[in-house]
Amino acid sequence: MTAGRAAVTADVSRLRTGGELLAAAGPLADLLLDTVHAGASLGFLESLDRTGAAEFWRDQASAVDSGLLAVWMARDAGGVTGTIGVRFGDKPNGRHRAEIVKLMVHRRARGQGLGRTLLTAAEEGATRRGARLLHLDTETGSPAERLYRAAGWERAGTIPDYAADPYGKLHPTTLYYKRTGAAGVGGGAEAIAASAGAGAAVGGTDPGAPRGGSGARTGAPYA
């Protein structure tokens, strides 16, 4: 937490259906624009506009309904202040793991502990779903790395020139992982398969990846 600033007071809740996500697409688009225009690497370039940002969020609705994606959103009296997602494995040998994606905190809400609150909500939600291994990637040298290390995440390695920032400059990314206290692979697979249902999409394309972007990176901003 930044010295001299009060702890954040925000309501963090999960968007449990695609309909709830669609209803929040506008405010989430504003959050995404604020994050990208602040220089975060989230798979988008500075040319992103509100129409494209809202379309990105609307495209996630089917993944939420299928159970492959869980999204949390933080709000205060001024509106949406942050979000985080968890993308669950959809292959038989990978349903024990999940990826933390799209951690964002609005510039007006940073330095107050909201990033850690969102990360904790995502970790606990993934663990309840049976995930016992979490992973993510973030821009090397970003403030987010301090957040992940403080939260007990382990550094796995770095990939050079992995993705461009909003202005087109290539940056390396650092991979992190964290083991949870969830049950074994069998229990986790059953829990995730049951919640995903028969309509879960299976394939090589990430339904959450932005068009022309670098996939579901967590990004740098946090608080």
Side-chain angles (χ1 to χ4, degrees), residues 95-97 123-134 179-192:
R95 290 177 180 151
H96 64 291
R97 67 177 184 259
E123 290 175 358
E124 292 177 350
T127 301
R128 285 194 296 270
R129 279 276 298 270
R132 63 188 185 93
L133 177 65
L134 306 179
R179 298 186 186 277
T180 76
V185 175
E190 292 168 5
I192 294 170

Side-chain angles (χ1 to χ4, degrees), residues 40-126:
S41 178
L42 288 166
F44 298 93
L45 299 176
E46 64 175 335
S47 57
L48 178 70
D49 59 16
R50 194 173 190 275
T51 298
E55 182 181 9
F56 164 77
W57 286 111
R58 287 193 293 268
D59 285 347
Q60 312 312 304
S62 61
V64 171
D65 278 336
S66 73
L68 291 179
L69 176 67
V71 177
W72 286 261
M73 185 172 69
R75 284 177 272 210
D76 64 10
V80 173
T81 54
T83 187
I84 195 169
V86 177
R87 186 163 295 278
F88 295 94
D90 60 358
K91 295 177 175 60
N93 69 342
R95 290 177 180 151
H96 64 291
R97 67 177 184 259
E99 182 181 10
I100 301 294
V101 298
K102 294 294 186 286
L103 171 59
M104 292 179 247
V105 174
H106 197 282
R107 279 178 283 189
R108 69 179 176 84
R110 294 181 191 172
Q112 303 174 54
L114 180 55
R116 183 64 177 265
T117 299
L118 287 164
L119 182 60
T120 298
E123 290 175 358
E124 292 177 350

